[in-house]
Amino acid sequence: MTRFDFKRLAALALAASLAGCGGDDGGAAAPASTTPQVHLAITATEDVAGNWGSVGAYEKLSGTLRGEVDPKDPHNAVIQDLALAPVNARGMVEYQSEFVLLKPKDMAKASGVLRYDAPNRGNILTMPNPAATPSDAVFFERGYVLLYAAWQGDVPKSSAARLTLSVPVAVNKDGSSITGSYRSELIPTAATPVMTLPGGVFNGTMIPYAPASLDNSLPGYSLTRRLNEGDARVAIPPADWKFADCDNAAKPFPGTPDGSKVCLKGGFDPAWLYELVYVAKDPKVMGVGLAALRDTVSFLRHRAADADGVANPLAGRITHAIGQGTSQSGNAMKTFLHLGFNQALDGSKVFDGIYAHVAARQTNINTRFAVPGGGGAIRTDHTAFGQTAPRALDKDAVDPLTGRQGGVMTRCAASNTCPKFFLGLSGTEFWQLQGSPVLTDAWGFRDRVQPENARIYYYAATQHGGAGGTSSIAYAPANSVYPRGTVAHHSDTFRALFIALEDWVVRDVAPPASQVPALADGTLVRPEQVAFPAIKGVSWPVAGVATAVPDFSYRGWFNAYKVLDFGPQYVPQDESGIATQLPPLVGVDYAILVPQVDPSTGMSTAGIRGVEVQAPLGTSIEFNYVATPGVVDLTSLTGSYLPFHATEAARLAAGDGRPSLESLYGNQAGYVAAVTAAANRLVAQRFLLQRDADLRIQQATATTVLP
């Protein structure tokens, strides 16, 4: 298939799901009503501390939205196993989503902007907190309504703060359990006799899929281990591991049978990566979460009341909606767009703007036995789901390695529902999360032309999680080679860009141009071409050859990106269907390129260069190394920081080829002047709010770095 044919792909996915379970209609007996119902329940209302300019006071509403998805509506045809989900008396598939809503008490003072922030594995990451971050007040002062609603159906209610979504379990036509292949990585952080499913650094706290049998000697069950991601898997005999709970004393191996845990004879060693494949049962229809998000936002934007007459607290006051997701949930927002869910049931746009923040990939939410909580680093989830859907944004993008055509914007372009779109990338996205394929062709020979409705922003010299400030740097030599963390951060940049996206959506004020490294100007290069500065005692991999102590190998220096084959019933372009080949077959490589650095300071030369990059106190590096002997991989999603020496004498004595603070700034006043100039430039470019610029200047004045 070389053309991107929506109807055929949807039909393939549906046919694959039916063939895999032996059913054809999920047992639906009742005809569907033409209008899915929504039922709103507000369970708590509380005041939000503070008064916010002319908008005044805010309040926080918590509750649930219970809704329906019509399995016969073509808008829902792409949802894997929807036809196999139980239906109610109206012929509808049901879900229930928890939500939190922050709104002005007086909705007449609201701006009309609804900002939806997608929870990350059920956690609210981005709720404004002016007490801790005064600049967050800007969103209240501008009269935003802020919505947080669950979209992920395997999040446990492990804390009151976590937002959960109830989705149905798919069943065979005769009501029996559906079974299928499932994979989990078990990554111990310390020696332990037992590990709890589902395992993995990223997905480990989600609700696991139960094994169909506890007999691990059956076909389809295996446990392997390897030291590095790229090493060959070594099988562990079934007699040496069991689905069981055990410890080293009261319940030694083989322990007590338990489908939620794995007990290993001799215990799990944190130096190894363990991979478990087993036959699972009872797959959740996880893609219902995308429909739930679509219909939740549409209800709050347009409906006066729910099916029971309960008033919509936002009725008549929302004119625009902007969706945002960070990391995993940012990937989910791209998947939401890619699979066509930005088209509401009435044909209108759900979101007028979408900001996918530190989100290089897509999220696996629409396969059978989906793993939406998975990640994509080097030592974990390297060949996990989320890697086959297109990275390119343009609707006509072509992948020459697979012959597939279409990008993230293909479906929304066909339905005229594409939003204004921001994609933000930290440096870690390039080194560990395969960020460059959105910028270049598959071979890394040509810069991509991006859609007119899209902007891509690279936050120079930053790590995935943001951090910022020298107090955030941690040095644990047993865990990582260099001090972990970056002083350069992207929280200020994100805040300013979100306002720019609002201006674009609401007032049609064009945002700043994309700020990315490029092949054309030499700021995007092959990893071995990065011009790191010379520092005595510090070694960088060069040209694919291991260098001086410590012994680094090019093999684990960046996260490769390969064509993956999960079997014939899988629809890779859509991250849908049924995976039957686990682990996947690994094919050819896509090119991975990374930002070039200044050979003097080691700081990135392209992108949005924040205050800490333009007026640095040290080098914020976008990756770090695992310190474990024999392990050649990068640490997961973290950077590193090497401070400059204060004086020229100290720099020369240390053999550091980078400049000293003395040579950069002369004295304290020179440093403050450099920070001030950088902050003012960023404000003028709309990459920094004035209140954040004032704070950076104040901090520089208060931080003595030179006499």
Side-chain angles (χ1 to χ4, degrees):
M1 186 187 308
T2 57
R3 298 291 301 174
F4 193 76
D5 186 322
F6 303 129
K7 292 183 179 178
R8 187 179 177 204
L9 283 175
L12 282 173
L14 182 57
S17 71
L18 297 177
C21 70
D24 59 3
D25 63 2
S33 168
T34 56
T35 305
Q37 293 184 353
V38 174
H39 303 269
L40 171 68
I42 297 173
T43 57
T45 302
E46 56 188 292
D47 290 342
V48 175
N51 255 282
W52 311 102
S54 61
V55 177
Y58 266 70
E59 61 184 354
K60 175 183 175 182
L61 310 182
S62 302
T64 61
L65 272 168
R66 181 167 54 88
E68 298 176 329
V69 177
D70 184 351
K72 294 181 173 59
D73 190 326
H75 291 90
N76 303 320
V78 75
I79 299 176
Q80 176 67 33
D81 289 339
L82 184 63
L84 302 173
V87 296
N88 61 20
R90 290 161 40 78
M92 297 286 188
V93 174
E94 295 186 346
Y95 65 85
Q96 181 167 292
S97 173
E98 294 183 320
F99 72 87
V100 169
L101 190 67
L102 302 180
K103 58 178 277 299
K105 280 191 170 183
D106 182 355
M107 280 299 293
K109 297 180 178 179
S111 67
V113 174
L114 172 66
R115 168 176 162 174
Y116 168 75
D117 282 28
N120 184 299
R121 300 172 180 87
N123 300 302
I124 298 175
L125 299 184
T126 52
M127 184 175 290
N129 183 6
T133 307
S135 295
D136 275 354
V138 66
F139 300 114
F140 293 145
E141 294 166 356
R142 295 176 80 88
Y144 280 27
V145 172
L146 297 113
L147 171 67
Y148 311 87
W151 58 271
Q152 183 176 337
D154 61 347
V155 175
K157 195 63 176 178
S158 56
S159 72
R162 241 177 180 171
L163 298 179
T164 64
L165 172 72
S166 298
V167 297
V169 170
V171 295
N172 286 317
K173 184 177 181 179
D174 62 4
S176 62
S177 291
I178 294 174
T179 62
S181 188
Y182 177 71
R183 177 176 65 152
S184 175
E185 289 186 324
L186 304 177
I187 313 296
T189 57
T192 178
V194 64
M195 294 204 69
T196 300
L197 296 177
V201 173
F202 302 105
N203 195 53
T205 62
M206 300 298 102
I207 298 172
Y209 292 107
S213 172
L214 300 187
D215 184 357
N216 66 336
S217 67
L218 294 173
Y221 292 72
S222 67
L223 180 66
T224 63
R225 71 173 191 171
R226 62 198 189 279
L227 187 62
N228 292 294
E229 165 59 39
D231 294 342
R233 293 166 171 84
V234 178
I236 299 172
D240 289 347
W241 68 275
K242 301 295 178 186
F243 288 105
D245 188 15
C246 65
D247 58 35
N248 291 321
K251 290 185 293 185
F253 183 86
T256 303
D258 187 334
S260 68
K261 297 179 181 179
V262 176
C263 179
L264 177 62
K265 187 176 182 179
F268 291 91
D269 184 338
W272 294 87
L273 305 176
Y274 297 86
E275 183 178 69
L276 174 68
V277 177
Y278 63 95
V279 179
K281 65 179 181 179
D282 300 332
K284 295 176 183 290
V285 188
M286 207 75 76
V288 165
L290 300 175
L293 172 56
R294 174 197 65 199
D295 297 344
T296 293
V297 174
S298 297
F299 167 77
L300 292 171
R301 285 193 72 170
H302 302 300
R303 300 276 288 277
D306 74 357
D308 305 311
V310 176
N312 172 6
L314 309 183
R317 294 295 181 179
I318 301 301
T319 58
H320 299 85
I322 301 174
Q324 186 274 328
T326 297
S327 188
Q328 175 245 16
S329 58
N331 294 333
M333 294 303 293
K334 289 169 70 178
T335 302
F336 177 90
L337 180 60
H338 170 58
L339 292 183
F341 286 93
N342 204 49
Q343 181 185 22
L345 296 180
D346 65 0
S348 64
K349 292 181 184 179
V350 177
F351 294 110
D352 304 291
I354 289 178
Y355 194 153
H357 178 51
V358 291
R361 306 182 309 132
Q362 292 199 37
T363 291
N364 176 254
I365 189 176
N366 198 44
T367 60
R368 180 173 291 179
F369 297 108
V371 189
I378 292 180
R379 288 193 60 73
T380 57
D381 288 0
H382 179 72
T383 56
F385 296 125
Q387 318 258 32
T388 64
R391 306 295 177 92
L393 301 180
D394 186 71
K395 65 182 179 65
D396 296 321
V398 176
D399 181 351
L401 301 189
T402 63
R404 294 191 287 265
Q405 181 170 328
V408 173
M409 303 284 182
T410 302
R411 282 185 172 90
C412 70
S415 62
N416 196 30
T417 56
C418 288
K420 304 291 197 301
F421 184 82
F422 279 9
L423 173 62
L425 301 172
S426 79
T428 308
E429 272 71 78
F430 288 90
W431 290 94
Q432 291 208 29
L433 294 174
Q434 308 151 333
S436 67
V438 72
L439 300 179
T440 77
D441 64 11
W443 294 290
F445 292 156
R446 184 177 57 193
D447 293 312
R448 291 189 187 276
V449 176
Q450 303 300 337
E452 292 183 2
N453 66 305
R455 299 289 187 275
I456 304 177
Y457 299 109
Y458 158 53
Y459 319 128
T462 63
Q463 67 179 11
H464 184 77
T470 54
S471 63
S472 68
I473 305 303
Y475 187 35
N479 297 325
S480 57
V481 173
Y482 300 125
R484 297 183 70 162
T486 56
V487 171
H489 64 99
H490 45 63
S491 55
D492 293 353
T493 308
F494 170 82
R495 199 161 28 244
L497 285 176
F498 201 96
I499 300 303
L501 180 56
E502 179 206 339
D503 285 338
W504 197 16
V505 165
V506 177
R507 288 166 280 278
D508 201 28
V509 176
S514 293
Q515 300 291 311
V516 294
L519 294 165
D521 61 10
T523 56
L524 187 67
V525 297
R526 310 282 167 171
E528 64 270 20
Q529 296 174 323
V530 178
F532 291 110
I535 308 173
K536 184 178 180 180
V538 175
S539 300
W540 313 108
V542 176
V545 179
T547 59
V549 176
D551 183 15
F552 297 136
S553 168
Y554 182 70
R555 179 161 54 111
W557 189 31
F558 65 90
N559 196 1
Y561 177 33
K562 298 175 181 293
V563 174
L564 301 177
D565 181 0
F566 289 98
Q569 296 184 60
Y570 193 74
V571 185
Q573 181 80 358
D574 283 351
E575 284 281 325
S576 299
I578 304 170
T580 56
Q581 176 65 51
L582 293 173
L585 299 177
V586 176
V588 296
D589 283 84
Y590 294 90
I592 293 295
L593 295 96
V594 297
Q596 182 60 281
V597 302
D598 185 320
S600 174
T601 64
M603 301 288 259
S604 303
T605 56
I608 301 175
R609 305 178 77 247
V611 170
E612 296 84 4
V613 181
Q614 296 188 43
L617 296 176
T619 303
S620 287
I621 305 164
E622 297 169 339
F623 59 88
N624 207 328
Y625 300 106
V626 173
T628 305
V631 174
V632 298
D633 294 331
L634 297 179
T635 54
S636 182
L637 304 186
T638 60
S640 47
Y641 179 70
L642 299 176
F644 296 147
H645 293 277
T647 65
E648 276 294 284
R651 179 188 72 80
L652 292 170
D656 191 338
R658 301 172 302 159
S660 66
L661 297 178
E662 183 180 55
S663 67
L664 284 172
Y665 308 117
N667 54 31
Q668 179 70 17
Y671 170 63
V672 173
V675 169
T676 301
N680 289 339
R681 280 192 294 269
L682 290 164
V683 170
Q685 294 166 332
R686 298 170 65 196
F687 298 138
L688 190 65
L689 300 180
Q690 186 62 55
R691 64 182 72 193
D692 283 319
D694 294 341
L695 179 59
R696 297 291 157 248
I697 296 168
Q698 177 186 343
Q699 290 172 335
T701 303
T703 303
T704 301
V705 300
L706 285 166

